Amino acid sequence: AYTVVNTRRSSALRARRAAANAATRAVRQAGVRRLCGLASNAKRPSWASDEAKAEGDVERVEWFNTFLNTLWPYLAQGTRAAVRRVIEPKLDSQRPKGISSMTFDEFNLGTIPPLIEHIALIPPDEADELQIQVKFTWKGNPKIVFKVAGPMIYGGTSPLKIDVGELAISATAKITLAHLMGEVPCVGGTQITLTEDPYVSYRIALKAAPGMPSVSLSSIPGLKSAVQGAITVALREKVVFPKSINKVITKKHTPWTVRAIEDAIAISPVGRLRLTVRGASGLKNMEMMGTSDPYAALALGSRKTPPLISDCQRTKTIDNTLHPTWEETFELDVCSTELQCLWVRVYDDDGQYGTDDLMGSVVLPLSGLPADGSTVRGSYPLKKEKELQTGGKRGKKSGTGLGELFLELTYVPITEPADETRKRLDQATREAEAKYRENAPGEYGFQAEICRLLGIKGKRDGKALSALLESDKGTLDHLGDGRLRHLVSTLPPRMDIGHGIPLWATFPGFEGMRSMNEILLTVWPYAAAAVRRDVETLNAEVLPKKLPPFMRAGVIADLGAVPPTLESVRAFGSDGDEISLEFHLKIAGDARFGVVFNAAFAPLCGARVQLAEVTLMAIVRVKLQPLVRRIPIVAGTAVSFVGDPLVDAAVRLELPLMPGVDLGCLPGVDLAKRAVLGGVVPGMFRYPSWLYSPVLDFDHPAVKQLTRGGSSDGDGEHVVTVKVKRARNLDATDAFYSDPFAIVVVAGEADYASRAKRTDVKKRTLKPAWDQTFSFSAADAECLMVAVFDADSTPTVAKAIDPARLRRKMAPVTRHHAKSLPHAERFHMRVDDIPFHGTVAAKARAAAEARAIEDGTMSKTDIQKLEKKAQKKAKKKANSVGKLLKEAKKRDIERRAALEPPLPPRIMSPEQIEKEEKKAAKKAKKAEKARKKAEKKAKKAQKAASKRSLKKSDSMEEEQLDPDRVVSDVEQCIINETVILSNDLLGMCHVDFKRLLRPGQRKTVWLRLEGGPSDQKRAAAGEIDLEDPDGIDPNEEVYESNAAPAGERVDSGFPEIELEIGWMVYDDVSFGTKTAAAVDDDDDDSYPSDEKIGTAAGTSNDSGIATGSLHVEVVRCADLQKPKVGTLYKAKMSGERVTPKVDVYVGNQHASTQTSRGVEPTFKEHFDFPGVTALDELVVRVSHPGRKSISTKMGIAKVRDKFMGSVVVPLNGVVKSGAIAGTYALGGVKHGEVTLALSYRVERKY
């Protein structure tokens, strides 16, 4: 008796909670007002007052924008790696003749993510579909540079770069989930279309050969609008309504079902518009001499953008009149009266030798036309297109003086003829699915109790409950105050908020998820039917094969009518590599799962066990951590509860001829259940405890490298500075001298060109002195490569890389290549091979077994065990429940397809026939291309196989470079300088600065250069072996603690280079020693004086002044003064010939931008200057590069740049504030200004 009473009481409490969840799952403002009124101690939100503005039909998703904003830096870099791996090879494989390479020189999505403005569910066109409308904008700052090189581009001497930036996109998309069905995956197909023409804007600049300026499309009149118009037209032809992107999801089904899905996702006409253009009067004359020759062009289009003239139908031309009469009738297919408008434009026909002039336009929405077939007649004033876009100007009568147009419109909806076969099949499908819409077998009074508590009259089952949820408007009007108070009193409080009041109504950080809940409510009945169908198939065809003959069993699975509720959500990031989402999850419904079993020879010897009345109400925090800069971005997830969750369920046991009982209500068991579900389980997962689930495999070295916790804001910015001072004992390659220059490269993940720094060329010397400083990010690197080359006076450019020549050039630096290759492989691995959790150990074990079998180290017994294990695994997989269920469903579809009549051919219009023919031709062309490529690959493999027996020296002459090989920095440097160009290598060395230094240290070292001409001669004489990868490093002594200082090192007589290397850590500018929490915003005395700003955590020089790193971004110049040219009669240079550049000086450090074009150039180039103090000054000089002449080539005169202005910027302000951006007027000229963005970080004190 105790168990039965306890079972009923617990079930009644869970039913009240389920009813309360069902009643408040879609609550809106009016419902929140009622809940606040019922709760005496509840504070009513200000927006919930009676005077508050009513809610709209759209829902803003700021939480998703916050989530995307945190994820965007990782997503941008991960996309960049994916583009380089996936898209670049496809571009390279499809390059045209004359093009040697097509790559992305830079691919950066910028720092500004897209913005989802709102999301809304719109009324569907059919009962079995779901339509979602999403409006998004992206005003981003991407930097995408596409590089094309080859003989067709400047003869192969220089690549052409296409720079795309300043992108802005705004569009409204409609996503349709069509043909919802009661079978997995529940959605037959999807349709994506843009409801109107999107707004697209961007900037394109073409960068030619070095020294040539960039050309912007904005500087060419009409070109930018033409390109953007072409993009709009391309989108209109592909995805703008009535075009769409359609995808059939359920492909493996009966032919009639697939045909129905294809018809559901296709956009077809819903009506026909009959338009009679009677005439016009009072048209404006567009001719200077004579009278206009008007005609009318008409078509359907969107509200904002007119249709293309090529898509329009037109009337005949009436010559020499401003009052034409056409009396012509046209019929247009209407796909949507809401999204389409009628455009009628009147043109002046100028014949085949001129462009027709637009005389005026009329735009009529179709939503106002009667649907009964009646005719609407009227006169409509013609307007200018600008008036149509802006709605006309205030105070003026729109369309004045353009005339008016006389039209007759008749709209007739299309009624498709009934297809009797389709109608009969649909009816059979509905009847077959009807039983799956009902509850799972067995008496289930829990649903009836929920219906009773919600006040449902009549039959109380799942259908009545679903009907109530679908009709719920969120006002709670169908419940009285007493009943509502009785229900919500059972809901647990969350964050001190109870009585069913949602968190989004009281906490500003939380937002509702109304659209998501509506999607769940719409799809839930189909998902429940799909589960019931699969369970029936499982019980009928799968379980009898898995169970012994004397036993019968069946599975019970019923999702019920009440779906889970995601009431509120909020997203917040942190300073680290993580982001958290908090959901208020409510699971309290009528779902149940269980099993029934009995003996075949005794039906009464059995039992039914069910897990039912599941209740879970909690705030769930999902932390995505760590975030990595590679797809899939998330390396692991952690889940925990915020506060105490409510967890409850019933485990019902039903025996023949006995009432069912809840096992959790047995004496003693109920106390244990209450302790476990109320204390132990919540305590295990209550924040700060987590349930962590890795996504990536942390045993893989690539994942270890990605998640090792690089330098964050708290760790500071690690920078290595390299000052290339001088070199000595260099080899002479040009008779008695050389023209040396040095290249410094830091190992890293970025592109080689962005990591390589190059000094100036010193003419005719073997002891050059450069004294140039470069800075690199040290967050990801530890190794520096330094190479010295002799600059060829007349360099020749190779159009292709000769493998034999590359091999000869690489031979002297084989040891350095072997040292640099592991770094390149590490970063390459991070780009290409990101394994998921559990894959590394399995792959390693399989590789070890295969290697042991191949080497013969594994015994025959072990090999037989492995074979038996593999056979057993394959047999287990073939006889698994999932495999058998899949085969049973496939047989069911084949059986149903056999009962259907043959599918008739589809009736297509001539346009559709032409489209299908083009599609088939394209597919055949693609197949032919793939066949030729496969033949070519097979011939190449056969040719390579036939050459394997040749000698190494002979095979190398014909060998081709592997395009998938990992290219080290040494190999890339040799390719760029000695293979493609004709510069000679004078020596190369490596230095591990993290082994040489500690953070905050600086050291000057002499490093021996290897691989020069003298070393090559010694190697030829057999004195040394340059190709030995395990050779002794001659610079090993620099890492020893007792190594001699650079100034005291004795000249060894070999080529050497002197470097000053520093490892600095920079922090953001600190405004005092107090922590942020201890600073009072109202207390001005809490800040230190100006002399102390930036020195608290920084390093000071001998004068006690803080030093740091200055970051300079040269954004643009404006209103530059044109320089004068000419010898005797000087005149100002034309604006198109001006190619300004900007030189930046800080102390003895210097950097220059690339040349641009015009007097309004844009640069957006970045430079870093270490060792900067508040006493330094920034000097910016703008000039036009001088031109070489005969006197300069003879050395009589120097090339002088033409001065265009300069400005001196004191750095005291940026050192104090940390960042300054502004526009500065140029001095020394009449006009001109430069825009700079400066940021400063203080060097950390050690």
Side-chain angles (χ1 to χ4, degrees):
Y2 173 83
T3 303
V4 173
V5 172
N6 201 7
T7 298
R8 293 177 180 177
R9 184 174 64 250
S10 300
S11 179
L13 179 60
R14 285 189 288 266
R16 288 171 58 191
R17 287 171 178 164
N21 175 39
T24 60
R25 67 181 316 275
V27 65
R28 303 185 71 168
Q29 282 188 5
V32 173
R33 294 190 187 101
R34 285 199 63 193
L35 292 175
C36 293
L38 294 177
S40 58
N41 58 345
K43 181 180 178 182
R44 175 181 289 197
S46 59
W47 59 263
S49 62
D50 296 333
E51 295 80 14
K53 185 178 179 180
E55 288 178 291
D57 294 330
V58 299
E59 180 181 9
R60 299 193 178 276
V61 284
E62 294 299 330
W63 67 271
F64 184 79
N65 293 326
T66 303
F67 176 76
L68 188 60
N69 190 41
T70 305
L71 226 62
W72 188 251
Y74 302 90
L75 189 61
Q77 191 163 346
T79 305
R80 178 174 60 186
V83 164
R84 290 190 178 277
R85 170 161 173 77
V86 178
I87 297 181
E88 278 193 357
K90 292 184 179 180
L91 290 174
D92 193 63
S93 63
Q94 300 184 8
R95 63 178 184 269
K97 294 182 179 180
I99 301 298
S100 60
S101 67
M102 299 170 60
T103 59
F104 285 97
D105 190 62
E106 186 174 354
F107 190 93
N108 187 1
L109 294 179
T111 58
I112 303 175
L115 176 68
I116 307 297
E117 293 192 11
H118 65 251
I119 181 173
L121 266 67
I122 56 180
D125 298 330
E126 301 292 339
D128 59 345
E129 70 179 21
L130 183 67
Q131 293 188 355
I132 308 167
Q133 182 174 292
V134 181
K135 184 176 182 181
F136 65 92
T137 58
W138 185 24
K139 297 180 180 179
N141 55 348
K143 180 72 172 179
I144 303 174
V145 181
F146 187 67
K147 183 170 70 174
V148 183
M152 296 293 293
I153 307 296
Y154 299 105
T157 59
S158 176
L160 178 66
K161 297 182 179 181
I162 306 172
D163 185 359
V164 182
E166 300 178 8
L167 181 66
I169 301 175
S170 179
T172 302
K174 186 183 73 170
I175 304 171
T176 302
L177 306 180
H179 199 83
L180 300 178
M181 52 198 305
E183 298 179 58
V184 178
C186 301
V187 179
T190 59
Q191 175 199 99
I192 302 176
T193 183
L194 301 182
T195 58
E196 56 188 15
D197 291 310
Y199 171 77
V200 181
S201 176
Y202 54 89
R203 175 190 57 80
I204 295 182
L206 306 178
K207 291 187 177 182
M212 296 294 291
S214 61
V215 180
S216 176
L217 294 184
S218 303
S219 61
I220 304 176
L223 185 58
K224 181 178 179 180
S225 59
V227 173
Q228 293 181 358
I231 292 178
T232 303
V233 170
L235 290 174
R236 185 183 299 176
E237 292 178 351
K238 296 292 184 181
V239 70
V240 178
F241 190 87
K243 305 294 183 180
S244 62
I245 300 176
N246 302 331
K247 178 67 175 179
V248 177
I249 297 178
T250 308
K251 296 181 179 180
K252 297 180 180 180
H253 216 283
T254 63
W256 280 91
T257 303
V258 176
R259 173 70 64 85
I261 295 172
E262 292 174 352
D263 294 341
I265 62 179
I267 297 178
S268 56
V270 297
R272 180 154 295 175
L273 177 65
R274 179 175 298 174
L275 171 65
T276 301
V277 184
R278 302 190 60 185
S281 66
L283 300 180
K284 183 179 180 180
N285 192 9
M286 307 300 291
E287 301 289 346
M288 297 182 62
M289 299 179 61
T291 310
S292 297
D293 307 323
Y295 71 90
L298 51 102
L300 297 178
S302 63
R303 300 183 184 93
K304 296 182 179 179
T305 307
L308 299 177
I309 192 65
S310 58
D311 297 335
C312 296
Q313 303 182 49
R314 55 166 293 176
T315 65
K316 61 185 178 181
T317 301
I318 308 296
D319 296 332
N320 300 322
T321 181
L322 299 180
H323 306 279
T325 300
W326 291 291
E327 294 293 346
E328 295 188 35
T329 302
F330 304 89
E331 289 191 355
L332 305 173
D333 290 334
V334 179
C335 295
S336 174
T337 58
E338 299 294 333
L339 301 178
Q340 289 183 300
C341 295
L342 173 65
W343 286 75
V344 183
R345 288 173 288 179
V346 180
Y347 288 91
D348 176 21
D349 194 346
D350 289 337
Q352 59 180 342
Y353 300 106
T355 302
D356 298 345
D357 299 321
L358 180 62
M359 305 177 70
S361 304
V362 170
V363 181
L364 299 177
L366 302 181
S367 57
L369 294 177
D372 55 357
S374 58
T375 302
V376 177
R377 301 177 179 84
S379 61
Y380 304 94
L382 294 170
K383 298 181 181 180
K384 298 179 180 179
E385 288 200 6
K386 185 178 292 186
E387 294 182 15
L388 296 174
Q389 295 176 359
T390 60
K393 298 181 180 180
R394 295 181 179 179
K396 294 185 179 181
K397 187 178 180 180
S398 61
T400 304
L402 297 182
E404 53 186 4
L405 194 63
F406 303 101
L407 304 174
E408 291 183 1
L409 300 95
T410 304
Y411 174 72
V412 179
I414 295 178
T415 303
E416 296 183 357
D419 188 341
E420 295 299 329
T421 304
R422 170 70 65 82
K423 187 177 180 180
R424 187 172 64 253
L425 290 174
D426 291 344
Q427 180 63 26
T429 302
R430 284 193 295 270
E431 292 176 357
E433 291 185 352
K435 62 178 181 178
Y436 301 114
R437 296 276 182 171
E438 303 295 336
N439 296 326
E443 183 181 356
Y444 195 37
F446 191 69
Q447 272 185 347
E449 179 64 16
I450 297 175
C451 294
R452 186 190 68 80
L453 292 172
L454 291 174
I456 297 177
K457 305 296 184 182
K459 189 175 182 180
R460 295 168 175 172
D461 56 1
K463 286 186 177 181
L465 192 54
S466 297
L468 176 66
L469 295 178
E470 292 174 1
S471 61
D472 187 9
K473 302 301 182 183
T475 59
L476 304 178
D477 291 339
H478 61 285
L479 296 174
D481 290 347
R483 186 185 296 271
L484 182 60
R485 185 181 293 107
H486 176 69
L487 293 179
V488 299
S489 62
T490 60
L491 296 178
R494 302 90 54 223
M495 302 175 69
D496 298 330
I497 301 298
H499 303 281
I501 301 174
L503 294 180
W504 56 262
T506 52
F507 287 91
F510 281 95
E511 299 177 44
M513 301 187 69
R514 187 174 70 246
S515 299
M516 180 60 69
N517 290 323
E518 290 181 6
I519 293 173
L520 277 175
L521 183 62
T522 304
V523 179
W524 198 255
Y526 298 95
V531 170
R532 295 187 189 111
R533 179 187 287 271
D534 288 351
V535 166
E536 183 181 273
T537 305
L538 179 70
N539 294 335
E541 302 188 32
V542 177
L543 290 183
K545 298 179 181 180
K546 304 291 290 185
L547 296 175
F550 61 85
M551 185 176 180
R552 294 177 181 175
V555 175
I556 300 174
D558 183 16
L559 298 183
V562 183
T565 303
L566 295 172
E567 181 196 85
S568 306
V569 62
R570 69 173 174 179
F572 53 92
S574 64
D575 296 335
D577 53 348
E578 65 180 42
I579 184 171
S580 299
L581 296 172
E582 286 186 358
F583 299 93
H584 183 204
L585 177 64
K586 295 195 299 185
I587 299 177
D590 51 339
R592 54 174 174 161
F593 307 93
V595 60
V596 55
F597 55 90
N598 55 22
F601 55 85
L604 294 179
C605 297
R608 184 195 304 270
V609 181
Q610 297 184 77
L611 176 67
E613 305 175 15
V614 179
T615 302
L616 172 61
M617 296 185 179
I619 300 176
V620 182
R621 174 176 292 179
V622 180
K623 180 186 288 188
L624 308 181
Q625 183 193 29
L627 302 177
V628 296
R629 299 180 184 272
R630 288 294 177 273
I631 304 297
I633 309 301
V634 180
T637 59
V639 181
S640 65
F641 294 128
V642 179
D644 293 326
L646 173 63
V647 184
D648 196 6
V651 181
R652 301 182 66 88
L653 174 63
E654 299 178 10
L655 299 175
L657 306 177
M658 292 182 64
V661 295
D662 183 1
L663 298 181
C665 296
L666 293 174
V669 179
D670 55 348
L671 299 179
K673 171 187 171 183
R674 192 176 301 112
V676 172
L677 297 183
V680 178
V681 173
M684 292 174 59
F685 305 111
R686 187 189 301 116
Y687 184 81
S689 300
W690 299 94
L691 175 62
Y692 191 78
S693 176
V695 177
L696 301 182
D697 200 316
F698 288 88
D699 293 332
H700 196 276
V703 181
K704 289 181 180 179
Q705 181 70 19
L706 283 170
T707 59
R708 66 176 184 173
S711 60
S712 62
D713 294 340
D715 297 331
E717 179 186 6
H718 292 249
V719 175
V720 57
T721 60
V722 180
K723 183 176 183 181
V724 184
K725 288 190 170 183
R726 53 180 174 159
R728 62 191 180 192
N729 305 326
L730 297 181
D731 296 317
T733 58
D734 300 333
F736 304 103
Y737 58 84
S738 294
D739 302 328
F741 67 92
I743 292 179
V744 184
V745 185
V746 62
E749 183 181 342
D751 187 61
Y752 171 84
S754 62
R755 295 183 286 108
K757 307 293 184 180
R758 180 171 177 158
T759 66
D760 298 332
V761 178
K762 298 299 179 180
K763 295 290 185 179
R764 303 185 179 186
T765 180
L766 300 180
K767 297 181 179 181
W770 293 287
D771 286 329
Q772 290 183 245
T773 303
F774 308 105
S775 60
F776 306 90
S777 173
D780 244 4
E782 62 217 11
C783 188
L784 287 168
M785 183 200 74
V786 183
V788 181
F789 294 90
D790 170 43
D792 195 347
S793 57
T794 56
T796 58
V797 180
K799 297 182 180 180
I801 300 176
D802 183 13
R805 185 182 181 190
L806 174 60
R807 191 174 300 103
R808 290 195 303 270
K809 296 294 185 180
M810 286 288 295
V813 291
T814 301
R815 188 174 63 82
H816 294 281
H817 171 65
K819 189 172 184 178
S820 177
L821 191 60
H823 299 283
E825 288 177 342
R826 183 183 71 188
F827 294 115
H828 181 77
M829 177 177 57
R830 286 174 55 175
V831 175
D832 292 349
D833 303 319
I834 305 298
F836 288 90
H837 178 64
T839 58
V840 173
K843 288 183 178 179
R845 185 167 55 254
E849 293 172 353
R851 189 164 53 251
I853 295 174
E854 184 178 356
D855 297 341
T857 57
M858 183 177 290
S859 63
K860 293 183 178 181
T861 305
D862 293 337
I863 294 176
Q864 292 176 356
K865 288 181 179 179
L866 286 178
E867 292 177 352
K868 290 182 179 180
K869 184 178 180 181
Q871 293 175 359
K872 185 177 180 181
K873 184 177 180 181
K875 184 178 180 181
K876 183 178 179 181
K877 184 178 180 180
N879 294 328
S880 64
V881 175
K883 184 74 173 179
L884 294 176
L885 179 60
K886 185 177 180 181
E887 293 176 353
K889 292 168 65 177
K890 183 178 179 180
R891 290 193 301 269
D892 179 61
I893 292 176
E894 293 174 352
R895 179 185 57 79
R896 289 152 60 186
L899 299 176
E900 293 180 353
L903 190 67
R906 187 184 293 276
I907 301 176
M908 296 187 294
S909 63
E911 294 81 3
Q912 292 175 333
I913 295 175
E914 183 180 0
K915 184 178 179 181
E916 291 295 329
E917 290 177 351
K918 288 182 179 180
K919 188 176 180 181
K922 186 177 180 180
K923 187 176 181 180
K925 186 177 179 181
K926 187 176 180 181
E928 180 67 17
K929 187 176 180 180
R931 185 186 63 80
K932 291 182 179 180
K933 187 177 180 180
E935 291 180 356
K936 186 176 179 181
K937 187 176 180 180
K939 290 180 180 180
K940 186 178 179 181
Q942 185 179 3
K943 187 177 180 180
S946 64
K947 291 181 179 179
R948 288 176 184 171
S949 59
L950 299 178
K951 295 181 180 180
K952 182 178 179 181
S953 59
D954 295 334
S955 62
M956 281 184 177
E957 298 298 328
E958 299 292 336
E959 185 181 354
Q960 298 291 329
L961 294 175
D962 183 9
D964 297 328
R965 74 189 190 283
V966 179
V967 180
S968 68
D969 290 340
V970 173
E971 182 180 352
Q972 190 65 54
C973 182
I974 294 298
I975 289 174
N976 291 356
E977 302 299 334
T978 66
V979 178
I980 296 180
L981 301 177
S982 55
N983 300 324
D984 297 319
L985 177 66
L986 299 179
M988 180 180 292
C989 65
H990 272 82
V991 58
D992 189 342
F993 69 88
K994 290 190 176 180
R995 182 183 171 193
L996 179 68
L997 305 169
R998 288 196 298 267
Q1001 288 186 341
R1002 187 181 299 271
K1003 194 172 184 179
T1004 302
V1005 293
W1006 278 98
L1007 299 175
R1008 164 76 190 283
L1009 297 174
E1010 294 182 291
S1014 59
D1015 287 344
Q1016 296 177 28
K1017 291 179 182 179
R1018 295 173 59 197
E1023 298 179 10
I1024 58 175
D1025 186 6
L1026 293 176
E1027 298 187 27
D1028 183 12
D1030 300 325
I1032 300 175
D1033 187 0
N1035 297 315
E1036 187 67 27
E1037 62 180 18
V1038 301
Y1039 303 111
E1040 299 176 0
S1041 59
N1042 57 355
E1048 302 177 6
R1049 178 164 176 172
V1050 180
D1051 189 351
S1052 63
F1054 294 105
E1056 294 179 323
I1057 187 170
E1058 185 182 14
L1059 303 177
E1060 182 182 333
I1061 306 175
W1063 183 2
M1064 305 303 162
V1065 182
Y1066 297 101
D1067 297 313
D1068 292 332
V1069 172
S1070 174
F1071 285 87
T1073 57
K1074 292 185 178 182
T1075 61
V1079 174
D1080 185 1
D1081 294 339
D1082 299 330
D1083 186 8
D1084 296 335
D1085 296 335
S1086 61
Y1087 293 98
S1089 61
D1090 292 346
E1091 288 77 17
K1092 294 181 180 180
I1093 289 180
T1095 63
T1099 299
S1100 301
N1101 56 16
D1102 296 337
S1103 303
I1105 302 174
T1107 60
S1109 174
L1110 177 68
H1111 179 81
V1112 180
E1113 179 186 3
V1114 182
V1115 182
R1116 66 176 64 87
C1117 294
D1119 194 25
L1120 295 179
Q1121 181 176 323
K1122 302 173 185 177
K1124 293 183 178 181
V1125 293
T1127 306
L1128 298 177
Y1129 301 99
K1130 294 185 179 292
K1132 287 186 177 181
M1133 186 183 297
S1134 65
E1136 296 181 356
R1137 294 179 56 195
V1138 178
T1139 56
K1141 69 171 184 176
V1142 178
D1143 293 285
V1144 184
Y1145 302 87
V1146 180
N1148 60 352
Q1149 303 180 60
H1150 168 238
S1152 300
T1153 67
Q1154 294 184 353
T1155 56
S1156 185
R1157 179 177 288 276
V1159 295
E1160 304 277 346
T1162 300
F1163 298 97
K1164 292 188 177 179
E1165 296 192 33
H1166 302 258
F1167 308 100
D1168 290 294
F1169 300 96
V1172 178
T1173 69
L1175 301 181
D1176 290 322
E1177 293 180 334
L1178 173 69
V1179 180
V1180 180
R1181 185 178 186 270
V1182 184
S1183 60
H1184 173 78
R1187 187 175 57 180
K1188 290 184 178 181
S1189 60
I1190 298 177
S1191 59
T1192 58
K1193 292 180 180 179
M1194 295 176 60
I1196 301 175
K1198 294 183 178 180
V1199 178
R1200 294 186 176 181
D1201 298 340
K1202 298 189 179 297
F1203 179 74
M1204 299 179 67
S1206 64
V1207 62
V1208 179
V1209 181
L1211 298 180
N1212 185 39
V1214 68
V1215 170
K1216 291 180 179 180
S1217 61
I1220 287 179
T1223 301
Y1224 303 89
L1226 297 175
V1229 291
K1230 292 183 179 179
H1231 51 82
E1233 57 187 22
V1234 59
T1235 302
L1236 305 174
L1238 311 178
S1239 60
Y1240 184 79
R1241 305 193 83 175
V1242 183
E1243 186 177 327
R1244 184 180 295 180
K1245 182 179 180 180
Y1246 284 91

